[in-house]
Amino acid sequence: VMVCVAVNGRPTIGVIHAPFTKQTVWGWAGHAHSSNLKPIVAPQGDKSNHPYKIIVSRSHSGTVEKVAKQAFGDKTEIIPAGGAGYKTLQVINGHADAYVHVTLIKKWDICAGNAILNSVQGKMTTLTEQNINYDKASNVKNEHGLLATIRDHKKFLSNLKPVFKQS
């Protein structure tokens, strides 16, 4: 279950509740986040000896595996999973280096995770490096890919942008 409050098109407050684990996390960008949310704090550093872990949609994968491996190398670990909120939380908790999506995704599926990511100084953008606008007058579809990271966002984008344009 996900709830998001967007102010002037910006994701500000997000709540994600996982009914099967009975866990609820929340974040208020610029203010606080729930105490059970444990964002990673260590710098990314050199990943030459350890492949990146990229979490992707299990049901709407498109060419994401090909894109990720072209961007980060053949040893990149692809983690298929369901639920945009779940995938965002996996990035925040350090179980994945990035959440990458290359097909169309509805904004109501990503707003709560985006707000929570903002509350822990993470970042979510399109693969064309645009902030996602959640204003009620904007298109409900995000058609420009998605990148969610807790660190090294620009580095991920610089690797993904040229490959995403080709896909």
Side-chain angles (χ1 to χ4, degrees):
V1 178
M2 297 185 292
V3 177
C4 184
V5 175
V7 178
N8 297 322
R10 296 180 59 180
T12 305
I13 299 171
V15 179
I16 297 176
H17 174 71
F20 299 112
T21 62
K22 296 182 171 66
Q23 180 184 22
T24 302
V25 297
W26 60 269
W28 184 4
H31 294 278
H33 57 79
S34 57
S35 61
N36 61 339
L37 193 60
K38 305 290 185 206
I40 57 169
V41 292
Q44 181 68 44
D46 180 20
K47 292 289 278 185
S48 57
N49 294 325
H50 304 287
Y52 283 109
K53 294 178 181 180
I54 307 296
I55 196 161
V56 302
S57 176
R58 181 176 50 223
S59 57
H60 303 288
S61 59
T63 60
V64 71
E65 184 171 348
K66 178 182 137 196
V67 166
K69 289 192 176 200
Q70 282 182 314
F72 305 112
D74 288 334
K75 292 183 180 179
T76 301
E77 182 181 345
I78 304 298
I79 306 165
Y86 174 80
K87 290 186 282 276
T88 303
L89 292 176
Q90 293 302 297
V91 170
I92 291 170
N93 292 323
H95 302 294
D97 297 303
Y99 164 26
V100 178
H101 195 88
V102 297
T103 61
L104 179 146
I105 190 167
K106 302 284 179 54
K107 291 179 183 177
W108 54 71
D109 286 330
I110 57 177
C111 188
N114 196 343
I116 294 169
L117 199 56
N118 289 347
S119 78
V120 296
Q121 286 71 53
K123 193 159 180 78
M124 183 183 286
T125 65
T126 66
L127 291 177
T128 58
E129 207 168 348
Q130 301 300 308
N131 288 323
I132 300 165
N133 181 357
Y134 297 92
D135 186 87
K136 66 180 180 181
S138 72
N139 187 347
V140 299
K141 301 173 189 173
N142 174 40
E143 301 176 276
H144 304 288
L146 175 80
L147 173 64
T149 60
I150 193 75
R151 55 189 177 199
D152 293 338
H153 196 81
K154 285 197 180 285
K155 181 179 177 183
F156 279 97
L157 272 175
S158 68
N159 284 24
L160 284 163
K161 276 172 66 173
V163 179
F164 178 66
K165 287 179 184 177
Q166 296 170 12
S167 68

